[in-house]
């Protein structure tokens, strides 16, 4: 199935009353190795039935989503993960130094069916994210600023034949072409993708992650080995003395 | 309130009820049941889960094992003939497939079956400890003879000891007395919050501790064939119990010597021959053969079905693992700063000193020498095996390149069994306990700041790791010095 670029005019024709927006996308907390991305939607206009609602994240190399953790949120969404590599590796390991992507197929909560033009129906989606260890720095502020771009939301709908076109082409806005390339399943199930815009307040979020100090290498290496060796000698001495005391005790008993 | 209770329950009945093993087992079981039920409610209502991440790993691995498919099939030579999945498709599953199979009822019956199983292993371990204490340890333990100002902490084992009297002679302990004391000691394990938490959160350590305890039980009884088989099984489960083999061989060799010549050989060569004879004789060879054979048979069986992923994830991974993320061991920071693929360290090229420091042998040798030599030199009789195994395990954990809280359980299980042989004042005992816990609390407080508050204090966290090694070494030395042969 091929796909064609879709002009804004065309997809507005399909659902002219749809004024759904992403109200906000935030990270909380904004420091540390564990955070949660919360995206708030306002769904406005007649709900396009048989359409599915999706949320797409591009994750920088230093952030990852744990698929086993996300699997426990199946009441809110199912997901596909692209890339991500070894969950346990630091960002500078070959297995983990590339961006990844996360595509959610969201389950709209019950009660968010009737969408009126007024206040809209608002609901949130939470995605737990984790940070990898970053490259140690030499001096300066020992923090990495990991930038998470706002997610992209869209409807995936069966095509309406109003235009009279006999072609069966997936209609994709420019902003969603990369997603379609990445997720072939979208091509198979849907015929039209409708981008959901976000308000101006939706900005990229930054997670500040501490990193090690490369200047500590010499002290840490030497200190660790010295302490380990001293503890080793101390315990060997203690055990040898105890062993000698045991031999004396055994000899006395035999006598 | 005490008077009110006393009106309804006679004191000696109450004491008997408290120190009898059955009420302890029932109470311990109830605590665990309640916590497991609570964990199910808690996990549904809180984002911070009670259940350990490892439990989810086991459960997922079990699911993979029981639901084979085109992309999920056992990879061993016989795997294609058996319709069974591959537990190693689950990332971070680094255990024997037998664990995944053991937890099959997680899928068939209830997702918390594993927690009940692990808690059941706790209770069985308590029963085994009680048997060991009553039949083997306490009958040979002697009441301490010290003055009241340094009342020994082992009063836990001798609550009625007349330590105030310098003339108190060592006396045999009555059967009832033994059972009461054994119950009090077992309570240290069964009512230990760490032990309870580990099992009810779904960590599988209690299965291994039960296997190790049963191995010890057989060894103390002199059932060496069973000991060898259990040691092979324990080592298959997790590699570290192999260190106990050294002490077993030592004890078997010593007993073989005692059965043979009584006189000391004269001359260097005869002494060398006698020394070799301690370790290489018919009995030790039999022991090693059964133990290694059990390990190999189990390994071959599992390999034939699940193939190389089993060998890699269960054993080989631990040889090459680089635990760069923070844990109790101070090695973590060194590993993080010198992780392969960091361009700075690769470009510089390590000097000989650095190569020596970074060599896995440097860390591995200290750990190996201590954990094996303490089994060889410390253990002369069967009775000393308990203390020997405690020292071997504690040194193994302290000097390991990675250490999490679950590792402490490996040597804590021996504590109720060695307390009757410790002569340690109350003040020293309190200091050791405070140091043991305090170093962990200190580390945890800093780790929390790094992980959840995002504070760049890795160096401080490393210092806490150093304090942990020093503190735990000091505590271990204190316990060794207070041991009475």
């Amino acid at each position: 199935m091929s796909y064609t670029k879709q002009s804004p005019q065309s997809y507005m024709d399909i659902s002219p009353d749809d004024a759904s927006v992403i109200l906000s996308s935030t990270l909380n907390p904004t420091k540390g190795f564990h955070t949660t991305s919360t995206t708030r939607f306002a769904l406005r206009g007649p709900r396009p039935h048989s359409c599915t609602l999706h949320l797409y994240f591009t994750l920088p190399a230093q952030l990852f989503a744990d698929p086993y953790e996300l699997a426990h949120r199946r009441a809110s969404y199912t997901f596909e993960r692209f890339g991500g590599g070894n969950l346990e590796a630091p960002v500078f390991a070959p297995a983990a130094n590339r961006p990844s992507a996360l595509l959610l197929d969201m389950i709209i909560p019950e009660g968010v069916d009737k969408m009126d033009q007024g206040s809209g129906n608002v609901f949130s989606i939470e995605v737990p994210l984790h940070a990898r260890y970053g490259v140690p720095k030499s001096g300066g502020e020992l923090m990495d600023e990991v930038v998470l771009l706002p997610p992209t939301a869209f409807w995936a709908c069966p095509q309406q034949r109003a235009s009279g076109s006999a072609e069966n082409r997936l209609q994709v806005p420019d902003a969603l072409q990369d997603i379609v390339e990445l997720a072939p399943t979208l091509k198979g199930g849907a015929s039209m993708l409708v981008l959901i815009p976000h308000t101006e307040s939706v900005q990229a979020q930054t997670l500040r992650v501490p990193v090690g100090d490369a200047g500590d290498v010499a002290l840490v290496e030497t200190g660790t080995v010295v302490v380990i060796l001293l503890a080793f000698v101390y315990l060997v001495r203690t055990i040898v003395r105890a062993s000698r005391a045991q031999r004396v005790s055994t000899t006395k008993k035999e006598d | 309130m005490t008077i009110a209770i006393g009106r309804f329950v006679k004191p000696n009945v109450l004491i008997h009820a408290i120190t009898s093993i059955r009420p302890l087992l029932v109470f311990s079981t109830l605590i665990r049941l309640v916590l497991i039920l609570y964990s199910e409610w808690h996990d549904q209502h809180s984002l911070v889960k009670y259940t350990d991440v490892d439990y989810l790993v086991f459960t997922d691995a079990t699911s993979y094992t029981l639901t084979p498919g085109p992309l999920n099939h056992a990879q061993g030579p016989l795997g294609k003939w058996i319709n069974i999945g591959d537990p190693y498709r689950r990332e971070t599953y680094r255990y024997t497939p037998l664990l995944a199979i053991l937890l099959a009822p997680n899928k068939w019956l209830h997702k918390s079956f594993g927690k009940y199983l692990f808690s059941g292993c706790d209770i069985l371990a308590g029963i085994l400890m009680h048997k060991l204490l009553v039949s083997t340890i306490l009958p040979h333990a002697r009441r301490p003879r010290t003055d009241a100002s340094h009342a020994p902490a082992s009063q836990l084992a001798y609550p009625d000891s007349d330590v105030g009297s310098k003339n108190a002679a060592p006396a045999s302990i009555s059967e009832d007395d033994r059972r009461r004391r054994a119950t009090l000691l077992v309570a240290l394990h069964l009512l230990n919050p760490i032990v309870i938490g580990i099992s009810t959160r779904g960590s599988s350590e209690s299965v291994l501790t039960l296997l190790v305890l049963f191995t010890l039980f057989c060894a103390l009884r002199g059932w060496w064939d069973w000991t060898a088989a259990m040691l092979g099984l324990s080592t298959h489960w997790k590699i570290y119990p192999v260190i106990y083999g050294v002490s077993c061989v030592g004890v078997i060799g010593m007993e073989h010597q005692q059965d043979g010549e009584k006189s000391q050989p004269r001359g260097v060569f005869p002494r060398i021959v006698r020394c070799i004879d301690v370790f290489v004789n018919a009995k030790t060879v039999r022991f090693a053969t059964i133990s290694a054979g059990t390990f190999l048979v189990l390994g071959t069986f599992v390999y034939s079905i699940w193939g190389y992923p089993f060998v890699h994830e269960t054993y080989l991974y631990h040889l090459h693992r680089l635990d760069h993320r923070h844990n109790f061991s101070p090695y973590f920071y060194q590993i993080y700063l010198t992780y392969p693929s960091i361009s700075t360290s690769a470009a510089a090229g390590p000097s000989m000193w650095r190569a020596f420091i970074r060599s896995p042998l440097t860390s591995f040798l200290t750990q190996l020498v201590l954990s094996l030599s303490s089994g060889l030199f410390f253990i002369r009789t069967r009775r000393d095996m308990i203390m020997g195994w405690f020292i071997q395990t504690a040194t193994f954990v302290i000097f390991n390149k990675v250490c999490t809280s679950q590792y402490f359980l490996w040597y804590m299980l021996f504590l109720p069994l060695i307390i009757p042989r410790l002569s340690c004042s109350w003040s020293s005992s309190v200091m050791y306990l405070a140091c043991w816990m305090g170093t962990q609390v200190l580390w945890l407080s800093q780790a929390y700041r790094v992980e959840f508050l995002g504070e760049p204090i890795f160096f401080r966290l490393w210092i806490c790791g150093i304090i942990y090694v020093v503190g735990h070494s000091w505590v271990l030395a204190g316990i060794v010095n207070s041991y009475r042969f």
Side-chain angles (χ1 to χ4, degrees):
Chain A
M1 181 189 269
S2 62
Y3 66 92
T4 55
K5 292 181 188 179
Q6 189 66 21
S7 66
Q9 183 67 31
S10 297
Y11 68 74
M12 283 302 290
D13 285 341
I14 299 300
S15 51
D17 296 328
D18 185 75
S20 303
V21 290
I22 297 178
L23 294 175
S24 65
S25 183
T26 55
L27 284 179
N28 183 37
T30 54
K31 278 178 78 173
F33 284 89
H34 309 284
T35 188
T36 300
S37 169
T38 303
T39 307
R40 285 175 67 238
F41 291 88
L43 299 184
R44 299 176 185 139
R47 176 178 169 178
H49 291 287
S50 74
C51 292
T52 51
L53 183 58
H54 300 266
L55 192 62
Y56 176 79
F57 287 88
T58 302
L59 301 177
Q62 205 166 344
L63 279 187
F64 67 94
D66 184 343
Y68 306 103
E69 185 180 19
L70 294 185
H72 293 277
R73 292 179 178 252
R74 59 180 73 90
S76 299
Y77 49 80
T78 57
F79 68 95
E80 265 187 276
R81 188 168 151 253
F82 307 96
N86 186 341
L87 297 180
E88 297 173 308
V91 72
F92 39 85
N97 59 2
R98 294 199 181 103
S100 60
L102 193 62
L103 178 64
L104 308 184
D105 185 346
M106 290 186 285
I107 297 166
I108 300 173
E110 281 185 23
V112 186
D113 268 328
K114 292 182 183 177
M115 301 181 297
D116 50 53
Q117 292 281 355
S119 57
N121 279 278
V122 178
F123 73 98
S124 300
I125 288 291
E126 292 183 347
V127 179
L129 299 171
H130 310 278
R132 302 182 188 279
Y133 270 44
V135 178
K137 292 185 174 175
S138 298
E141 195 189 23
L142 299 173
M143 299 292 286
D144 267 351
E145 310 247 330
V146 184
V147 177
L148 178 66
L149 297 173
T152 304
F154 58 93
W155 296 103
C157 302
Q159 186 176 12
Q160 295 179 9
R161 300 273 178 124
S163 63
S165 169
E167 292 180 20
N168 186 20
R169 287 184 179 175
L170 179 63
Q171 298 176 32
V172 181
D174 292 346
L176 300 177
Q177 286 181 18
D178 290 340
I179 300 172
V180 172
E181 285 297 325
L182 195 61
T185 49
L186 282 173
K187 290 181 194 172
S191 300
M192 184 174 69
L193 303 186
V194 181
L195 182 67
I196 298 176
H198 46 72
T199 61
E200 284 182 5
S201 62
V202 177
Q203 305 284 334
Q205 298 293 298
T206 302
L207 179 69
R208 286 166 55 79
V209 181
V211 295
D213 187 347
D216 289 338
V217 170
L219 179 58
V220 166
E221 282 187 314
T222 308
T224 302
V225 166
V226 166
V227 168
I228 290 295
L229 287 176
L230 285 175
F232 170 78
V233 169
Y234 172 60
L235 285 174
V236 165
R237 203 161 146 255
T238 304
I239 291 168
V240 167
R241 281 184 174 176
S243 176
R244 281 188 190 146
Q246 183 203 30
R247 252 184 265 146
V248 168
S249 163
T250 309
T251 309
K252 279 184 182 170
K253 283 178 188 168
E254 286 171 356
D255 293 342
Chain B
M1 185 178 170
T2 309
I3 296 171
I5 293 173
R7 280 185 182 165
F8 296 102
V9 183
K10 292 183 181 177
N12 58 345
V13 172
L14 189 62
I15 290 170
H16 175 77
I18 290 172
T19 57
S20 165
I21 189 67
R22 277 202 189 123
L24 173 63
L25 293 177
V26 169
F27 183 62
S28 303
T29 304
L30 281 174
I31 290 178
R32 285 160 172 80
L33 275 174
V34 167
L35 281 173
I36 292 170
L37 291 171
Y38 167 75
S39 73
E40 292 173 17
W41 178 89
H42 179 103
D43 288 353
Q44 281 180 5
H45 294 87
S46 169
L47 278 180
V48 179
K49 306 299 179 191
Y50 181 93
T51 301
D52 197 312
V53 169
D54 278 349
Y55 190 72
L56 304 178
V57 174
F58 306 150
T59 307
D60 289 342
T62 300
S63 290
Y64 278 117
T65 307
L66 298 179
T67 52
L71 297 175
N72 170 30
H73 213 272
Q75 296 182 45
L78 298 183
K80 56 188 172 203
W81 305 110
I82 302 172
N83 191 28
I84 197 163
D86 182 5
Y88 299 105
R89 279 184 53 85
R90 183 24 167 124
E91 273 183 84
T92 72
Y93 182 77
R94 299 201 170 93
Y95 310 89
T96 169
L98 299 183
L99 176 62
I101 291 177
L102 195 65
L103 297 181
N106 270 23
K107 198 157 168 65
W108 298 334
L109 280 179
H110 193 276
K111 62 182 180 181
S112 293
F113 167 82
K115 294 181 184 177
Y116 291 108
L117 175 69
F118 301 151
S119 298
C121 288
D122 271 351
I123 304 301
L124 285 175
I127 295 172
L128 214 47
M129 282 182 191
H130 192 262
K131 275 190 175 326
L132 274 173
L133 284 162
V134 168
S135 63
T136 307
I137 299 167
L138 288 174
H140 296 99
R142 296 158 72 85
R143 286 183 180 179
R145 199 189 316 184
T146 60
D147 59 51
S149 62
H150 291 89
S154 52
Q155 267 212 321
L156 195 61
Y158 310 98
D160 303 326
S161 179
D162 50 347
V163 292
S165 168
K166 288 184 182 179
N167 296 323
S172 61
I173 308 168
S174 70
E175 179 76 17
D176 277 346
D177 216 17
R178 239 182 277 158
R179 290 188 182 281
R180 285 173 56 220
R181 291 163 189 184
T183 302
L184 285 173
L185 289 166
V186 170
L188 287 180
H189 182 77
L190 288 181
L191 301 182
N192 186 333
I194 297 175
V195 174
I196 296 173
I198 282 176
S199 299
T200 57
R201 291 186 66 214
S203 174
S204 67
E205 297 300 331
S206 58
V207 176
L208 181 64
T209 56
L210 182 63
L211 292 176
V212 167
L213 265 179
F214 194 64
T215 309
L216 179 65
F217 182 86
C218 295
L220 292 174
R221 286 277 197 277
W223 305 338
W224 292 115
D225 288 349
W226 276 104
T227 308
M230 287 305 304
L231 188 63
L233 173 59
S234 303
T235 306
H236 168 83
W237 205 267
K238 208 161 226 167
I239 203 87
Y240 88 84
V242 71
I243 62 179
Y244 303 139
V246 167
S247 61
C248 291
V249 166
V251 170
I252 294 170
M254 289 286 181
E255 291 180 349
H256 168 73
Q257 289 273 303
Q258 286 163 8
D259 290 344
E261 287 185 23
K262 300 286 182 190
S263 59
Q264 285 285 341
R266 291 186 179 183
V268 174
F269 187 71
R271 283 186 183 178
I272 292 173
V273 169
R274 188 175 182 184
C275 192
I276 293 172
D277 186 53
V278 168
F279 295 104
V280 185
N281 55 69
K283 290 181 181 175
T284 55
V285 169
R286 180 188 171 103
F287 179 88
T289 303
I290 294 175
S291 187
T294 306
F295 177 77
L296 285 171
V297 164
L298 276 170
T300 305
F301 167 71
V302 172
Y303 176 84
S304 67
I305 299 175
W306 285 282
Y308 180 74
F310 150 68
V311 177
H312 179 264
E313 299 292 345
T314 310
Y315 303 126
L316 297 182
Y317 166 79
H318 298 284
L319 294 179
H320 304 293
R321 61 189 294 179
L322 291 175
D323 292 274
H324 68 286
R325 297 190 75 101
H326 51 278
N327 60 87
F328 285 110
S329 171
Y331 281 111
F332 92 88
Y333 198 24
Q334 175 184 338
I335 293 170
Y336 171 31
L337 294 177
T338 59
Y339 200 91
S341 11
I342 290 184
S343 55
T344 48
S345 64
S351 62
M352 275 191 66
W353 168 243
R354 284 247 169 102
F356 166 73
I357 289 176
R358 293 180 194 180
S359 164
L361 283 180
T362 309
S363 53
F364 189 57
L365 269 180
T366 48
Q367 181 187 35
L368 199 65
V369 167
L370 258 179
S371 57
L372 293 183
S373 64
S374 50
L376 277 176
F377 293 112
F378 196 86
I379 300 172
R380 299 299 170 97
T381 66
R382 226 185 279 169
R383 270 202 314 276
D384 294 322
M385 283 181 81
I386 307 170
M387 183 62 175
W389 285 24
F390 170 76
I391 299 172
Q392 286 186 275
T393 318
T395 51
F396 188 90
V397 171
I398 292 172
F399 288 85
N400 206 35
K401 291 184 88 168
V402 61
C403 178
T404 60
S405 297
Q406 288 141 319
Y407 289 42
F408 301 143
L409 196 61
W410 298 354
Y411 60 75
M412 279 168 57
L413 75 103
F414 298 112
L415 278 175
L417 307 177
I418 65 173
I419 282 176
R421 303 285 291 270
L422 298 181
S423 176
C424 188
S425 66
W426 278 113
S427 57
S428 295
S429 300
V430 169
M431 272 193 336
Y432 292 146
L433 185 62
C435 178
W436 186 82
M437 290 184 65
T439 50
Q440 292 176 59
V441 170
L442 177 66
W443 187 92
L444 287 168
S445 67
Q446 303 307 298
Y448 175 81
R449 292 171 67 177
V450 169
E451 186 156 354
F452 295 100
L453 303 183
E455 295 183 24
I457 53 171
F458 282 102
F459 185 79
R460 198 185 304 180
L461 190 56
W462 171 74
I463 293 287
C464 292
I466 295 290
I467 293 172
Y468 149 77
V469 169
V470 170
H472 281 222
S473 299
W474 179 72
V475 171
L476 178 59
I479 293 174
V480 171
N481 288 330
S482 67
Y483 184 70
R484 290 173 291 112
F485 295 97

